[in-house]
Amino acid sequence: MKNIYEILEMIKPRPAMYLGQRSLTALDGFIGGYSCALAQNGIFYGEETPPFTQFHDWVARYYKWNESTAGWKNIILQEVGDEAKACDVFFELFELFKQRFPVPKYRVFLNQNHKYTGAIYRRICIDGIEKDLDPPKEVRIVQYTTDAGFYRFDVSQAGEITEIGYFETEKLLMEQVNIEFQVSLDEWETLNTI
């Protein structure tokens, strides 16, 4: 099965052939349908780098929007104004987005000295049932090239990696982890310096 990146490379040269028209709304529907079909059928593929899930926030920052809740489609459409042109702009932006690669900056391993404070809501809802998330065994700070800010990734006890969010500064990210798990600034291990 192809991942989203592979599908978009297939569509890019002739979007009207795959979508019925050169339209950003049609492209968004296609991506959503494809992703839904994969999820509904339990088909998993390797994560793209950078993850396509970051595209909403990246587009919002690119256009200097304060938030990404409108989603990449609506942001691009509002900035460009025309469905066909917006489809072309999507592929231009997507090429810029894909040029980013992750640079691990810091990590901290949580241990018995780090107490979950409950200050940050850590719950998940699956099939209508809410449950508390277990504290991660490790928290990582990653910066993508060309991005000014930083991403937090939590590594579960089972080794699963989950993106938690984007932060304008590494200090803000570290402060959130301190509020959540009582991790002091001097406990962070530096991984990479450029």
Side-chain angles (χ1 to χ4, degrees):
M1 221 41 182
K2 296 181 185 301
N3 67 30
I4 296 297
Y5 281 27
E6 293 166 328
I7 290 295
L8 290 172
E9 286 302 317
M10 182 181 75
I11 293 171
K12 182 180 176 182
R14 294 184 298 282
M17 184 175 103
Y18 292 96
L19 308 173
Q21 59 186 325
R22 202 170 100 233
S23 158
L24 188 63
T25 299
L27 178 62
D28 179 52
F30 184 93
I31 292 169
Y34 188 79
S35 299
C36 182
L38 292 176
Q40 288 296 313
N41 290 291
I43 299 170
F44 300 99
Y45 51 83
E47 175 116 356
E48 309 96 354
T49 301
F52 189 70
T53 56
Q54 294 177 358
F55 196 60
H56 291 293
D57 291 330
W58 185 86
V59 168
R61 286 191 305 276
Y62 180 86
Y63 283 113
K64 298 182 179 20
W65 283 43
N66 291 330
E67 61 182 17
S68 64
T69 54
W72 59 261
K73 179 195 75 139
N74 293 322
I75 294 170
I76 296 171
L77 272 175
Q78 188 165 338
E79 293 291 330
V80 176
D82 174 74
E83 283 280 351
K85 176 67 177 157
C87 188
D88 296 339
V89 167
F90 167 87
F91 285 108
E92 292 167 12
L93 293 175
F94 186 60
E95 285 305 312
L96 291 174
F97 174 78
K98 287 190 320 184
Q99 292 174 13
R100 304 158 61 241
F101 66 91
V103 178
K105 303 297 269 183
Y106 303 95
R107 73 176 171 192
V108 65
F109 291 96
L110 301 182
N111 58 44
Q112 68 276 4
N113 297 325
H114 302 110
K115 305 296 182 216
Y116 172 56
T117 64
I120 308 254
Y121 190 65
R122 293 186 57 82
R123 294 180 68 77
I124 190 168
C125 184
I126 299 174
D127 296 328
I129 300 169
E130 281 197 28
K131 74 171 211 159
D132 290 326
L133 289 172
D134 293 327
K137 71 176 179 181
E138 178 185 352
V139 178
R140 296 179 185 166
I141 297 176
V142 173
Q143 184 175 37
Y144 283 81
T145 55
T146 75
D147 285 3
F150 300 85
Y151 287 85
R152 173 180 164 182
F153 290 89
D154 285 2
V155 181
S156 74
Q157 300 298 326
E160 297 166 339
I161 300 172
T162 304
E163 179 187 319
I164 301 301
Y166 175 85
F167 296 79
E168 292 292 326
T169 68
E170 56 200 16
K171 185 175 183 223
L172 286 172
L173 194 161
M174 289 177 178
E175 286 172 353
Q176 184 197 50
V177 174
N178 180 44
I179 290 167
E180 192 172 354
F181 297 109
Q182 300 178 337
V183 174
S184 63
L185 292 176
D186 63 344
E187 292 181 84
W188 289 91
E189 174 188 352
T190 302
L191 297 175
N192 198 340
T193 55
I194 296 179

